[in-house]
Amino acid sequence: MVAGAHFLALLSPGPDFFLIARGALAHGWRRASGICLGIALANGLFIALALTGTSLLRPGGALWLVLQWGGSAYLAWLGWQLLRAPAAAHRDLPMPGWHTALPRWSAGLRMGLASGLLNPKNALFYASLFALLGDAATGVRWFYGAWMFTAVLAWDLAVAVAIGHPRVVARFTRQVPRIERATGVILLLLALGVVLIR
């Protein structure tokens, strides 16, 4: 049940999915793999916090509000940068806020890490999943944690490889400006949604 709930959550597209898709289309899956690892590391931190019983994130708490508003501001900033991105339709479009023609892998890692860490829903999701395990043995809980980290990384890499495949990229390269605008709007709406979480 826990594994199934986690997998279904992976299938639902959120800000992480749109960042990976945009990165893979604009720069190929190898560059987007940095975003994937950053997202997985952020999830891994929340998994570790849930496993160790740390409940610093409670709705309405100070840390929750910092993450909620920080995450909303970050998503809104990314969305705005994508809406303002140049309309040049070629593969090596710069990622928003990056000043090199082809961003470094480490820049994608930082972007993925920020996206994952500034999403308070990740923390609550893992806390509630591990609550379902009840009094399971410590080894079993850590096994689930390792599986979840691996599943996040594997799924995100699979998405990046599928979207960043040369045939897919060749087909959608001319559409990158439209995809950027659509992603920008989606990220702005997600930012608004984060603000409205009660």
Side-chain angles (χ1 to χ4, degrees), residues 92-194:
D92 293 338
L93 288 170
M95 288 294 278
W98 297 353
H99 304 295
T100 57
L102 189 61
R104 294 184 179 167
W105 185 87
S106 59
L109 177 71
R110 290 192 299 273
M111 177 178 267
L113 194 60
S115 176
L117 288 177
L118 291 172
N119 186 350
K121 291 189 290 183
N122 282 344
L124 290 181
F125 174 70
Y126 287 113
S128 55
L129 270 187
F130 282 102
L132 292 175
L133 292 175
D135 296 327
T138 303
V140 171
R141 295 168 69 85
W142 280 102
F143 172 79
Y144 271 104
W147 182 87
M148 288 177 192
F149 172 82
T150 304
V152 168
L153 182 57
W155 175 255
D156 289 350
L157 284 171
V159 168
V161 169
I163 294 175
H165 189 278
R167 288 183 185 171
V168 176
V169 171
R171 179 172 231 174
F172 287 98
T173 292
R174 292 180 182 167
Q175 304 302 320
V176 167
R178 288 190 185 105
I179 292 168
E180 286 181 332
R181 303 303 186 271
T183 301
V185 169
I186 290 167
L187 290 178
L188 285 169
L189 290 174
L190 287 170
L192 181 62
V194 171

Side-chain angles (χ1 to χ4, degrees), residues 55-65 68 120 123-124 127 197-198:
S55 56
L56 295 172
L57 282 174
R58 296 173 191 232
L63 186 55
W64 170 267
L65 291 174
Q68 185 178 16
L124 290 181
I197 292 173
R198 292 284 183 259

